[in-house]
Amino acid sequence: TMSLNSSTLLNEENAQGAKGNTESLESLLQTPSSIQDNPLQKLQLASQEVLEKAKKSGRSKCPRCNSSRMFYCYTCFVPVETVPTKEIPTVKLPLKIDIIKHPNETDGKSTAVHAKLLAPDDVTIYKYPCIPEYEEKRHEIALIFPGPNSVSVKDIAFHLQKYTKKGVCSSDDDCSREPLLKQAKLEPEEEKNPNECISSSRSEGTRLKKIIFIDSTWNQTNKIITDERLQGLLQIELKTRKTCFWRHQKGKPDTYLSTIEAIYYFLVDYHQEILKESYKGQYDNLLFFFSFMYTLIKDAKCCAEKE
């Protein structure tokens, strides 16, 4: 039964493609070997009984568009009728998140919708090229994307301080340099009290108001990352972690995370390194759907191997 239900789920994700059945079988068979050890077991999650029940009853209607879906509607960003909203956990985030979705990214395969379902007040999904203008707010916004100019989460405070002092000048000219020079004369680094530095660093880091994530396969990101509206934003690179995503991208290392994993790991790092607070599972429920599907597909793979 588990195998059958898992296939149903995978077919659901592939419903927009003509090769649904073949792709779902391939997904089960090509699950990365790292899936054997389950790092998601340690998460502090709300009860997933509601998902267990929905799995047994099969597909259900979206309350908005009436489409037949499994667990949630990936176009309306709401749970289906068999998954009452009150039984889905809600996560409060310390900052806002914008997800920019590539137009060719298949809705049913994306984990970005998980973030919108579980943190509805703090997450907005945009379909490229319809994205906001970020230039005037770039002193309080960062983009999660690896690159030559990317900085680590722990260095956000330092780099955001430079952005704040520069104001919002679009080029690195005299108007952006001068305040930095004045600041250096007024507050030489050696005269600062170390405790003040930590306190100042924390407050600078919490000036970060919004984080942008790109929801796309790695081969398609270039079109979005080179968009002029995203130029000049502080870029953040996450610590290296291995993905648990069952839809592993061919030819890419297992350190390439799915969108919901990237959001989760960024928030854990932000909580510890910027807010300077011990992490006690505050954002674990962002992986509520992800961990359930992971276990479902892992078990289905075991069943397929036994057969």
Side-chain angles (χ1 to χ4, degrees):
T1 321
M2 179 69 78
S3 179
L4 183 66
N5 282 325
S6 304
S7 297
T8 304
L9 166 64
L10 286 159
N11 287 339
E12 166 65 27
E13 289 181 325
N14 282 301
Q16 294 171 322
K19 298 182 289 183
N21 292 328
T22 316
E23 284 183 13
S24 65
L25 181 61
E26 283 175 359
S27 297
L28 290 174
L29 298 176
Q30 291 175 5
T31 311
S33 57
S34 62
I35 209 161
Q36 300 305 331
D37 46 22
N38 184 355
L40 303 177
Q41 279 176 337
K42 295 176 183 176
L43 296 172
Q44 297 177 43
L45 297 171
S47 168
Q48 292 175 319
E49 192 180 347
V50 62
L51 299 182
E52 286 288 353
K53 286 179 182 173
K55 181 190 75 177
K56 286 171 185 168
S57 59
R59 291 155 74 101
S60 179
K61 277 187 180 180
C62 166
R64 289 190 187 169
C65 68
N66 287 326
S67 296
S68 176
R69 300 277 191 256
M70 195 76 177
F71 303 132
Y72 55 80
C73 179
Y74 45 74
T75 46
C76 300
F77 310 140
V78 292
V80 292
E81 289 176 350
T82 53
V83 182
T85 306
K86 65 179 186 300
E87 292 185 46
I88 299 296
T90 302
V91 186
K92 182 64 190 156
L93 308 185
L95 30 67
K96 300 296 182 186
I97 287 177
D98 279 4
I99 300 172
I100 299 174
K101 202 168 175 300
H102 193 285
N104 295 339
E105 184 72 4
T106 307
D107 290 338
K109 291 183 182 180
S110 169
T111 61
V113 63
H114 297 185
K116 183 63 181 171
L117 284 162
L118 297 161
D121 295 339
D122 298 318
V123 175
T124 308
I125 298 178
Y126 296 95
K127 186 167 275 193
Y128 188 83
C130 300
I131 65 171
E133 294 286 347
Y134 292 110
E135 188 175 358
E136 288 184 11
K137 299 272 185 158
R138 67 180 191 152
H139 57 290
E140 55 186 36
I141 296 176
L143 171 67
I144 301 293
F145 200 81
N149 300 317
S150 297
V151 305
S152 66
V153 172
K154 68 180 171 59
D155 292 329
I156 288 176
F158 173 73
H159 289 278
L160 211 61
Q161 193 176 30
K162 292 193 292 187
Y163 274 65
T164 305
K165 285 171 186 168
K166 283 180 181 181
V168 289
C169 293
S170 56
S171 60
D172 190 16
D173 52 23
D174 289 341
C175 76
S176 61
R177 276 198 209 103
E178 196 177 351
L180 280 174
L181 293 171
K182 284 182 179 175
Q183 188 72 10
K185 287 175 188 172
L186 289 169
E187 297 181 84
E189 206 60 44
E190 58 272 19
E191 288 179 22
K192 282 188 178 179
N193 179 310
N195 293 329
E196 284 177 12
C197 287
I198 294 169
S199 165
S200 163
S201 170
R202 185 190 181 285
S203 68
E204 291 291 348
T206 53
R207 285 188 190 176
L208 184 65
K209 299 286 175 62
K210 182 176 286 185
I211 285 287
I212 302 167
F213 290 84
I214 295 173
D215 185 51
S216 164
T217 61
W218 283 94
N219 294 333
Q220 294 176 330
T221 53
N222 193 53
K223 183 176 182 181
I224 296 177
I225 198 65
T226 54
D227 189 289
E228 61 179 16
R229 290 167 289 184
L230 298 181
Q231 304 313 301
L233 291 176
L234 179 64
Q235 276 184 227
I236 311 294
E237 189 158 3
L238 299 178
K239 285 180 189 170
T240 302
R241 290 177 171 103
K242 287 188 177 180
T243 183
C244 291
F245 196 30
W246 47 93
R247 296 191 177 283
H248 189 61
Q249 292 181 41
K250 270 188 181 174
K252 301 298 179 188
D254 59 4
T255 51
Y256 280 25
L257 303 173
S258 65
T259 301
I260 195 65
E261 287 175 299
I263 292 171
Y264 169 73
Y265 285 126
F266 166 78
L267 288 168
V268 172
D269 290 348
Y270 179 84
H271 193 84
Q272 293 171 319
E273 298 182 16
I274 298 299
L275 300 184
K276 305 289 183 191
E277 294 174 19
S278 60
Y279 183 69
K280 296 177 180 173
Q282 290 90 332
Y283 314 118
D284 284 10
N285 274 322
L286 284 175
L287 298 177
F288 181 77
F289 290 105
F290 185 88
S291 63
F292 186 81
M293 292 175 179
Y294 170 97
T295 305
L296 204 61
I297 290 164
K298 182 181 136 191
D299 291 348
K301 183 174 184 280
C302 291
C303 288
E305 284 173 351
K306 282 175 187 173
E307 288 168 13

